[in-house]
Amino acid sequence: MSLAEHVGNPWRAGDGGSPPGCRLVAVGSALPERRLTNSEVETFIDTSDEWISSRTGIHERRIADPEVTLVGIAARAARAAMAAGGWTAADVDTIICSSSSPDETFPSLACRLQAELGCPHGTAFDIQAACSGAIYGLALAQSLIQTGLSHRVLVVAAELFSRLVDWSDRSTAVLFGDGAGALLVGGPGEPGSEIVAIDLGADGTGAASLGTSPAPDTALPEAIPAYARAERSLNRVVFMNGREVFRFSTRILEQLIVRLAGAVGVPLGEITLVVPHQANSRILATAAGRLGIPMERFAVNVDRMGNTSSASVPLALAEAAASGRLVPGAGVCLVAFGAGLTWAGAFLRWGDTPAVVDDPGGELVSDRGRQEAVE
Ligand SMILES: CC(C)(COP(=O)(O)OP(=O)(O)OC[C@H]1O[C@@H](n2cnc3c(N)ncnc32)[C@H](O)[C@@H]1OP(=O)(O)O)[C@@H](O)C(=O)NCCC(=O)NCCS
């Protein structure tokens, strides 16, 4: 079956009696301080800066130290978004978390985050859509608000991929990084950016091309540093058919952008910013070339963060918003793809959506609330 047969029509706000779009009220992100450059990777993996940069566009990634926990980095991203949006823990009535690198089967990351943030009421649960998780979370948050089940939803995508890769497998270990991003979603009456269209899809027949398998029981080579040896609770590692995933990714990225722009009635040339899942800069350049959209209209952080799975879209969005790249009225296209296979897109009409980036190792100073987020 082709991808085209799998997909229905995108949802569009106010179309055929559908409800108005919810609002993206604020965005936040959090990164570990440690930068792992390709030159450092070269010292313990049989690879080269030249191979990694030319095949993927990645120059460095962030790696969490062993004492960092998944719920800890998720909470930092959540607090950054809440500081930006002016929400307290009592404002949140639903928490949706996404992680492709979970450290527990249960309880959910969302329940642990609820306790960590001290949210006094509401519900909390995890979703699994791999790298598409943040946009699936955004879509689900909107649906819960539209049905009246929720009013203010915190969506958090958090990843510690350094604990899911096999550091003795050079074909996957060099690709990934750690980080977290958070989105605050409120009803149509809240301030923020309007969610104008959503497109979700999955093709389970592609499950074998990207997934996890039991970790090898051989000891890691001596040269691998301590920060790449943190405990793995689920003892699984990533496997991937890189070429197959590359082909799927370029095709679906292109289709998603065309479908979303078509649903909203915006010519491709009028999309202000595409915020794509950050897997590989060659995937982005290929899709941009086929669509005729200049690369300057793509938010790119894969060069500095590597592939941070479901955290990558909110990380890139927070960075774009905090650096003043987005102004009210901008048309912003979020697009992602990942294991499942899954894909997801959302078109936002940018409003007043503040962002805070909690990055002790970075240069970017966010527009609002950074002090509160960091304190
Ligand atoms: C992973 C990826 C970068 C590999 O690039 P590629 O050009 O397809 O490379 P191949 O897998 O064909 O490997 C080519 C050679 O490089 C070698 N190689 C693999 N990893 C290497 C590394 N880190 N350093 C040096 N050589 C490496 C392979 O062993 C192979 O050598 P051989 O020809 O002697 O057997 C590319 O396929 C890709 O980006 N795929 C999509 C990945 C992705 O987006 N995943 C996440 C989706 S959510």
Side-chain angles (χ1 to χ4, degrees):
M1 194 183 290
S2 76
L3 288 177
E5 290 171 80
H6 262 282
V7 290
N9 290 322
W11 172 89
R12 188 183 151 196
D15 189 23
S18 70
C22 287
R23 295 291 186 276
L24 177 64
V25 175
V27 190
S29 65
L31 288 158
E33 191 166 1
R34 181 185 295 280
R35 292 160 188 257
L36 175 58
T37 61
N38 290 349
S39 318
E40 201 180 335
V41 172
E42 276 179 8
T43 64
F44 58 90
I45 293 181
D46 177 20
T47 187
S48 65
D49 176 37
E50 199 282 320
W51 192 96
I52 303 171
S53 338
S54 63
R55 298 291 219 287
T56 70
I58 298 167
H59 298 291
E60 60 180 47
R61 69 288 290 143
R62 300 296 182 86
I63 302 288
D65 284 328
E67 67 275 11
V68 172
T69 60
L70 190 64
V71 71
I73 197 161
R76 280 178 51 212
R79 288 192 180 106
M82 288 160 73
W87 286 15
T88 65
D91 289 319
V92 174
D93 62 17
T94 300
I95 300 178
I96 301 172
C97 282
S98 157
S99 184
S100 309
S101 48
D103 52 2
E104 297 268 10
T105 305
F106 58 82
S108 66
L109 174 60
C111 283
R112 288 179 287 147
L113 181 61
Q114 187 193 43
E116 177 69 27
L117 296 174
C119 296
H121 60 89
T123 188
F125 59 93
D126 290 358
I127 55 168
Q128 172 50 262
C131 304
S132 311
I135 303 177
Y136 266 70
L138 181 72
L140 191 52
Q142 158 153 289
S143 306
L144 291 170
I145 293 169
Q146 285 170 339
T147 59
L149 267 172
S150 303
H151 297 92
R152 287 181 150 187
V153 183
L154 167 64
V155 179
V156 180
E159 304 288 0
L160 293 179
F161 246 76
S162 58
R163 297 176 195 172
L164 191 67
V165 291
D166 173 0
W167 284 95
S168 62
D169 172 12
R170 67 178 183 173
S171 67
T172 52
V174 303
L175 303 176
F176 295 94
D178 299 337
L183 308 172
L184 305 188
V185 188
E190 302 254 4
S193 304
E194 186 187 2
I195 302 170
V196 188
I198 298 263
D199 198 0
L200 303 180
D203 176 2
T205 63
S209 56
L210 178 55
T212 65
S213 53
D217 51 13
T218 47
L220 281 174
E222 284 286 300
I224 292 182
Y227 53 80
R229 293 173 176 273
E231 196 180 323
R232 306 159 176 274
S233 320
L234 299 182
N235 215 25
R236 312 273 303 172
V237 292
V238 180
F239 71 79
M240 177 171 66
N241 180 333
R243 286 190 180 177
E244 225 169 84
V245 175
F246 193 98
R247 269 195 300 275
F248 156 73
S249 307
T250 45
R251 205 155 43 105
I252 201 68
L253 200 54
E254 191 186 341
Q255 284 186 11
L256 272 171
I257 295 168
V258 168
R259 287 165 56 80
L260 283 166
V264 180
V266 168
L268 293 179
E270 285 178 24
I271 296 174
T272 315
L273 193 69
V274 177
V275 183
H277 170 47
Q278 310 280 321
N280 181 320
S281 61
R282 274 167 56 222
I283 293 176
L284 305 184
T286 305
R290 287 189 194 155
L291 291 163
I293 301 178
M295 269 310 281
E296 303 79 67
R297 298 238 180 119
F298 278 66
V300 179
N301 69 19
V302 66
D303 52 332
R304 290 161 289 126
M305 314 287 166
N307 180 343
T308 52
S309 189
S310 66
S312 90
V313 167
L315 272 167
L317 184 63
E319 189 176 51
S323 62
R325 207 169 163 188
L326 294 170
V327 293
V332 180
C333 199
L334 314 181
V335 278
F337 47 85
L341 298 165
T342 60
W343 55 90
F347 194 98
L348 307 177
R349 184 59 66 192
W350 202 254
D352 180 20
T353 298
V356 166
V357 174
D358 176 2
D359 180 7
E363 288 106 42
L364 180 68
V365 177
S366 314
D367 60 348
R368 266 193 235 174
R370 185 168 202 279
Q371 272 322 105
E372 292 158 68
V374 174
E375 274 162 13

